[in-house]
Amino acid sequence: MLPSVVTGLGRAHCLSLVSLLLIHCFIDISAAFHSPQILLPADDTVISKEGDSLRIECRAQTRWPRLHNIYWLVNDTFVEDAYPDGRVTEQSGGALAVNRTVEQTLEFTTVQSEDFRNTFTCVVQDPSGTDVKHFYLNPENDGRKITYRLTAKKDEREPDPDRR
């Protein structure tokens, strides 16, 4: 029965439909394999201090909002290991399906001088890849209030040629 349908439609028309279907599938599949991208914090982000506490948000875009990992590291170790006293913790912001963003917040109950010697790293992973950004926390005092600047640490590795 199928050969008569193909003959009825004409081979050229059938091949056109198959080609469109394959192109559509290719576009959908290739879109799904873009690596995640960290959107925030950006280099030289200034963060206002709220009382003694401080919050640093890591926001990333992923094609896999339900199948991802997003987390912070401190000097290449997990936050709970770097701060066993709980002075610095992570809080999940969840996934926002509208624009496919995911969030993880680093929360300081107090900021201490040792924090200015640490490297803070945001990592996001999904089935299509990984994005990593390293930051230093620097205090700034304009005479009225203390703010903090996140400065991106330049990566010593060569850029990944597969990243877009």
Side-chain angles (χ1 to χ4, degrees):
M1 186 179 256
L2 184 61
S4 64
V5 171
V6 171
T7 306
L9 290 174
R11 288 182 187 237
H13 185 68
C14 185
L15 288 175
S16 295
L17 289 175
V18 170
S19 297
L20 286 173
L21 180 63
L22 288 174
I23 288 170
H24 178 73
C25 289
F26 176 76
I27 289 170
D28 286 348
I29 290 170
S30 67
F33 288 109
H34 286 276
S35 294
Q37 180 182 10
I38 295 172
L39 306 172
L40 294 174
D43 189 18
D44 284 335
T45 297
V46 176
I47 304 166
S48 295
K49 185 175 173 181
E50 297 176 19
D52 289 334
S53 65
L54 178 70
R55 295 171 49 98
I56 303 173
E57 180 183 324
C58 179
R59 183 180 298 164
Q61 194 165 38
T62 174
R63 297 279 182 178
W64 303 84
R66 297 186 195 271
L67 187 59
H68 71 279
N69 280 324
I70 184 168
Y71 55 94
W72 283 95
L73 297 173
V74 180
N75 298 330
D76 295 324
T77 189
F78 292 110
V79 174
E80 58 271 15
D81 295 332
Y83 294 98
D85 61 354
R87 183 173 63 81
V88 180
T89 59
E90 289 181 278
Q91 301 299 318
S92 176
L96 304 173
V98 175
N99 54 5
R100 296 182 174 159
T101 60
V102 293
E103 298 175 357
Q104 189 79 352
T105 302
L106 195 59
E107 293 190 4
F108 296 73
T109 56
T110 61
V111 179
Q112 298 179 1
S113 60
E114 68 187 59
D115 300 324
F116 308 130
R117 295 185 295 271
N118 292 335
T119 301
F120 299 95
T121 305
C122 177
V123 180
V124 61
Q125 301 171 313
D126 69 22
S128 64
T130 302
D131 194 13
V132 177
K133 284 193 177 179
H134 309 280
F135 296 94
Y136 296 114
L137 183 62
N138 301 300
E140 294 186 348
N141 188 344
D142 66 2
R144 295 181 309 230
K145 64 179 182 176
I146 297 175
T147 57
Y148 297 96
R149 182 177 301 272
L150 282 176
T151 306
K153 177 182 175 184
K154 303 304 177 206
D155 201 357
E156 295 84 23
R157 296 177 298 179
E158 290 294 318
D160 184 355
D162 293 332
R163 288 294 316 238
R164 296 177 194 217

